[in-house]
Amino acid sequence: MTSPHQGGLVRHPPLEDDVRTTDQGWARVDGPGGLFGPATVRWYPTVQWFNGEGFADLLRSTSLYRRLGHDVREPLLDAIAERIRTHMGDRVSRRYLSVLRVGQRSK
């Protein structure tokens, strides 16, 4: 798979609809040489539900938020959790799309 950093620019992961438009998956994968035949690609969408506190905990575990100083990170995550509780019925989803690429071993 190619790096998300190309030419000094950060490429963001594609949206689900963009991924599903190809049978090759997302990004370039170096070929397996003569080891495998053509790959079959399958997509598996998953939705994970959180309350405000759980979503803040999820964000707290990611490097983007972990890099923030405690005095910046915690008030920010508290505000996000409060917003989810008070404006979203204490329920928010996080969507994932897993891509599986399978190739049969060549003889």
Side-chain angles (χ1 to χ4, degrees), residues 93-104:
S93 65
R94 178 79 183 241
R95 299 177 64 88
Y96 299 91
L97 182 64
S98 299
V99 180
L100 173 66
R101 184 187 313 249
V102 178
Q104 189 169 14

Side-chain angles (χ1 to χ4, degrees), residues 5 11 18 26 35 48 55 64 66 70 100 103 105:
H5 302 280
R11 286 186 24 208
D18 296 334
W26 176 59
L35 295 176
Q48 188 175 14
F55 192 73
L64 176 67
R66 293 185 64 79
H70 183 272
L100 173 66
R105 187 170 177 92

Side-chain angles (χ1 to χ4, degrees), residues 58-78:
L58 173 69
L59 296 179
R60 192 174 282 113
S61 72
T62 64
S63 60
L64 176 67
Y65 290 91
R66 293 185 64 79
R67 282 195 302 248
L68 297 173
H70 183 272
D71 57 329
V72 172
R73 179 182 61 241
E74 293 309 314
L76 173 62
L77 294 177
D78 288 345

Side-chain angles (χ1 to χ4, degrees), residues 2-102:
T2 58
S3 169
H5 302 280
Q6 292 182 343
L9 299 175
V10 175
R11 286 186 24 208
H12 296 282
L15 299 174
E16 179 179 348
D17 290 342
D18 296 334
V19 172
R20 289 179 180 267
T21 62
T22 178
D23 63 356
Q24 301 299 308
W26 176 59
R28 186 178 150 273
V29 175
D30 291 333
L35 295 176
F36 295 93
T40 300
V41 179
R42 298 283 186 263
W43 300 272
Y44 298 94
T46 304
V47 178
Q48 188 175 14
W49 291 93
F50 296 92
N51 63 16
E53 197 61 39
F55 192 73
D57 286 343
L58 173 69
L59 296 179
R60 192 174 282 113
S61 72
T62 64
S63 60
L64 176 67
Y65 290 91
R66 293 185 64 79
R67 282 195 302 248
L68 297 173
H70 183 272
D71 57 329
V72 172
R73 179 182 61 241
E74 293 309 314
L76 173 62
L77 294 177
D78 288 345
I80 290 170
E82 180 66 18
R83 181 79 173 184
I84 291 168
R85 277 193 297 275
T86 60
H87 288 79
M88 302 173 76
D90 204 22
R91 186 166 161 85
V92 67
S93 65
R94 178 79 183 241
R95 299 177 64 88
Y96 299 91
L97 182 64
S98 299
V99 180
L100 173 66
R101 184 187 313 249
V102 178

